[in-house]
Amino acid sequence: MDQNMITMTIDGREIRVAEGMGLLEACAMAGAQVPTLCHLEGLSSSASCGLCVVEVEGGKALTRACVNKAVQGWKVHTSSPRVMAARRMALELLLANHPEDCLSCARNGSCELQAMAERMGIRERRFARTRKALAKDDSAEGISRDNDKCILCGRCVAVCAEIQGVTAIQFAGRGIRTHVAPFMDRGLATSACVQCGQCSVVCPTGAITERDESREVWRELRSPARTVVVQTAPAIRASLGEALGMEAGTLVTGKMVAALRRLGFDKVFDTQFAADLTIMEEGSELIERLTEGGTLPMITSCSPGWINFIEGHYPSLLPHLSSCKSPQQMFGAVAKTFYAEQVGLDPAAVGVVSIMPCTAKKKETRRPEMRSAWTWWKDKGREAAPYFDVDWALTTRELARMIREAGIDIESLPEEDFDDPLGRSTGAATIFGATGGVMEAALRTVYELVEGKPLPGLEFEAVRGLAGIKEATVVLGGKELRVAAAHTLKNARIILDEIAAGTSPYTFIEIMTCPGGCVGGGGQPLLPSDAKRRARGGAVYVEDRRLELRKSHDNPAIAELYSAFLGKPLGHESHVLLHTKYAARPF
Ligand code: SF4
Ligand code: SF4
Ligand code: SF4
């Protein structure tokens, strides 16, 4: 073990580090905070910002710490006058071409460039702009791009290619015309982009952000003509606290409910109610495909970035998708039919707002087919101008900004409960927030429905954790079935290529778009890492254990929904409101 360690000196401090460790990490171990705007854990570094330079004794040029390894015997200085001057120059040149928009920028207060200028004591702009202003791209429903704020760090290009395997954006142009763009400089909406938002989580500046819809939601909340209900996705309770400055993995379920009430929502409901409903429908669909014949393997359909991916990149495999809508959309359809009818509200005057971990959820709300409540009422003779099942989907980051804007101190709030009936849920619904969770929740129900007894060991460890593709075997109806859970679209590609080649060993597959599942979604707190994703995922499993009911079919509010309204899973009303059709969407 010891022969794999090396010794070096950083700022006069001798340290021993593992051979092969990056120099940036070694500097951090020695207590030196070497700045960088392009390097990020888990992505290859473009070494473009030039801020991480350090001086190695005996070396002619300065050394970039983000792309060099620690070397035995090196004596490194991280803040010598030469280093500080070079860093300052690099930053001043970046700022020369940057608009002075901080006060109205979505990243004001959370921008790494802004923080770096403050850290480096920049108080004036010495250099004139050399780059022409670049146009914004507002074509996509989920994210917006403002290339004028881009510092060409390359993180977005790397995450899109290396984590998602989509390569929707790349560097284009040369010299001062270099910029980030989809193929042929198209808008994102007509590119290969699936609007997962992973680029917006890693962007250090306001160059790629979620499309901010908080103004529209404030307007809804202030309108006396509207009854505005909110639903919160499972992963939000594990990440909202972090977005408001708490430690990653802090669970804030009850305080989040209290904060939403104080923002003015008339009812605070839970997407987890609809996650339990999804399990009833999707589990029944799986049993039907297994017993009566149907396309296998069946793949889950809750993650809208994944839906955009298969529709655009693998349309021939669409029959493998479950026909279930995502929980967000099931919720909207039920809220504007069953709930509106139950409490005597005009469905056209009900506003449904979702708090989601994901930018692709914004796009999902605008799919033309997601007006099923309107169609349902129309079929019953109730005419109204067309409306969507879900009016607005906000990300965790947008909700955190609204809470700050309202001056709500979430930590001091009491814990409050969700409203009935669309706020009741089980632990199975909570674990939808982590990769493998939908599979685990489905197995808790499907096993019991088929075998007439609970799954041996409720916690299905084999599909938990951050491995890219996790596999397990279950015996169902006397047959051994292989199942898999994959996260990130790069891993989805592996699964899909196997299916296309006819070599897939699986019967049932869960696919989530983002690393770690929804806890690592594109609308979640910035600057992600595996440690943060693990902490958020851990919180989701804590919540599962904390809930009294842990299987979707045990949710009494779901039983009531079926007996009073839907009839049975996969029945007529379910098909109208809870299921959908997918179509090839070439880009
Ligand atoms: S990206 Fe950062 S530095 Fe640029 S305008 Fe926005 S907050 Fe300011
Ligand atoms: S949203 Fe996702 S697919 Fe689109 S450019 Fe960003 S990382 Fe790539
Ligand atoms: S858009 Fe953001 S992440 Fe992409 S290169 Fe520009 S600054 Fe970096």
Coordinates of all heavy atoms in Angstrom, one line a residue, residues 95 98-103 105-109 111-114 149 204-207, ligand 1:
L95 N -13.6 38.5 -17.9 CA -14.6 39.5 -17.6 C -14.8 40.6 -18.7 O -15.8 41.2 -18.8 CB -14.3 40.2 -16.3 CG -14.4 39.3 -15.0 CD1 -13.9 40.0 -13.8 CD2 -15.8 38.8 -14.8
H98 N -17.6 39.9 -20.8 CA -18.8 39.4 -20.1 C -19.7 40.6 -19.9 O -19.3 41.7 -19.5 CB -18.4 38.8 -18.8 CG -19.5 37.9 -18.2 ND1 -19.6 36.6 -18.6 CD2 -20.5 38.2 -17.3 CE1 -20.6 36.1 -17.9 NE2 -21.2 37.0 -17.2
P99 N -21.1 40.4 -20.1 CA -22.0 41.5 -19.9 C -22.1 41.9 -18.4 O -21.9 41.1 -17.6 CB -23.3 41.0 -20.4 CG -23.2 39.5 -20.3 CD -21.7 39.2 -20.5
E100 N -22.4 43.2 -18.2 CA -22.5 43.6 -16.8 C -24.0 43.5 -16.4 O -24.7 44.5 -16.2 CB -22.0 45.1 -16.7 CG -20.5 45.1 -17.0 CD -19.9 46.5 -16.8 OE1 -20.2 47.1 -15.7 OE2 -19.2 47.0 -17.6
D101 N -24.4 42.3 -16.2 CA -25.9 42.0 -16.0 C -26.2 41.4 -14.7 O -27.3 40.9 -14.5 CB -26.3 40.9 -17.1 CG -26.8 41.6 -18.3 OD1 -26.8 42.8 -18.4 OD2 -27.1 40.8 -19.3
C102 N -25.2 41.5 -13.8 CA -25.4 40.7 -12.5 C -26.8 41.0 -11.8 O -27.4 40.0 -11.3 CB -24.3 41.0 -11.5 SG -22.7 40.3 -12.1
L103 N -27.2 42.2 -11.8 CA -28.3 42.6 -11.0 C -29.6 41.9 -11.5 O -30.5 41.6 -10.7 CB -28.5 44.1 -10.9 CG -27.5 44.8 -10.1 CD1 -27.8 46.3 -10.1 CD2 -27.4 44.3 -8.7
C105 N -29.6 39.0 -13.4 CA -29.2 37.6 -13.9 C -29.8 36.6 -13.0 O -29.8 36.7 -11.7 CB -27.7 37.5 -14.0 SG -27.1 35.9 -14.6
A106 N -30.2 35.4 -13.6 CA -30.8 34.3 -12.8 C -29.7 33.8 -11.8 O -30.1 33.1 -10.8 CB -31.2 33.2 -13.8
R107 N -28.5 33.9 -12.1 CA -27.4 33.4 -11.2 C -26.9 34.4 -10.3 O -25.9 34.1 -9.6 CB -26.3 32.7 -12.1 CG -26.8 31.5 -12.9 CD -27.1 30.3 -12.0 NE -25.9 29.9 -11.2 CZ -25.0 29.0 -11.7 NH1 -25.3 28.5 -12.9 NH2 -24.0 28.7 -11.0
N108 N -27.5 35.6 -10.2 CA -27.0 36.6 -9.2 C -27.0 35.9 -7.8 O -28.0 35.5 -7.3 CB -27.9 37.8 -9.3 CG -27.4 38.9 -8.4 OD1 -26.3 38.9 -7.9 ND2 -28.2 40.0 -8.3
G109 N -25.8 35.9 -7.2 CA -25.8 35.3 -5.9 C -25.4 33.8 -5.9 O -25.0 33.3 -4.8
C111 N -23.5 32.6 -8.7 CA -22.7 32.5 -9.9 C -21.2 32.3 -9.5 O -20.7 33.1 -8.7 CB -22.8 33.8 -10.7 SG -21.7 34.0 -12.1
E112 N -20.6 31.3 -10.1 CA -19.1 31.1 -9.8 C -18.2 32.2 -10.3 O -17.2 32.5 -9.7 CB -18.7 29.7 -10.3 CG -19.4 28.6 -9.6 CD -19.0 27.2 -10.2 OE1 -17.8 26.9 -10.3 OE2 -19.9 26.5 -10.7
L113 N -18.6 32.8 -11.4 CA -17.8 33.9 -12.0 C -17.8 35.1 -11.1 O -16.8 35.7 -10.8 CB -18.2 34.2 -13.4 CG -17.5 35.3 -14.2 CD1 -16.0 34.9 -14.4 CD2 -18.2 35.6 -15.5
Q114 N -19.0 35.4 -10.7 CA -19.3 36.6 -9.8 C -18.5 36.4 -8.5 O -17.8 37.3 -8.0 CB -20.8 36.7 -9.5 CG -21.3 37.9 -8.9 CD -22.8 37.8 -8.6 OE1 -23.2 36.8 -8.0 NE2 -23.6 38.7 -9.0
K149 N -23.1 35.1 -21.8 CA -22.6 34.9 -20.4 C -21.7 33.7 -20.3 O -21.3 33.3 -19.3 CB -23.8 34.8 -19.5 CG -24.5 36.1 -19.3 CD -25.7 36.0 -18.4 CE -26.5 37.3 -18.3 NZ -27.8 37.2 -17.7
P204 N -21.2 27.3 -14.7 CA -20.8 28.2 -13.6 C -21.4 29.5 -13.6 O -21.3 30.3 -12.6 CB -19.2 28.3 -13.8 CG -19.0 28.1 -15.2 CD -20.1 27.1 -15.7
T205 N -22.0 29.9 -14.7 CA -22.6 31.3 -14.9 C -24.1 31.2 -15.3 O -24.6 30.1 -15.3 CB -21.8 32.0 -16.0 OG1 -22.2 31.5 -17.3 CG2 -20.3 31.9 -15.8
G206 N -24.6 32.3 -15.7 CA -26.0 32.3 -16.1 C -26.1 32.0 -17.6 O -27.1 32.4 -18.2
A207 N -25.2 31.3 -18.2 CA -25.2 31.1 -19.6 C -26.2 30.0 -20.0 O -26.8 30.0 -21.1 CB -23.9 30.7 -20.2
Ligands
SF4_1 S1 -23.4 35.1 -15.3 FE1 -22.6 35.7 -13.3 S2 -21.2 37.4 -13.7 FE2 -22.4 37.1 -15.5 S3 -24.1 38.5 -15.3 FE3 -24.8 36.6 -14.4 S4 -24.3 36.7 -12.2 FE4 -23.2 38.3 -13.3

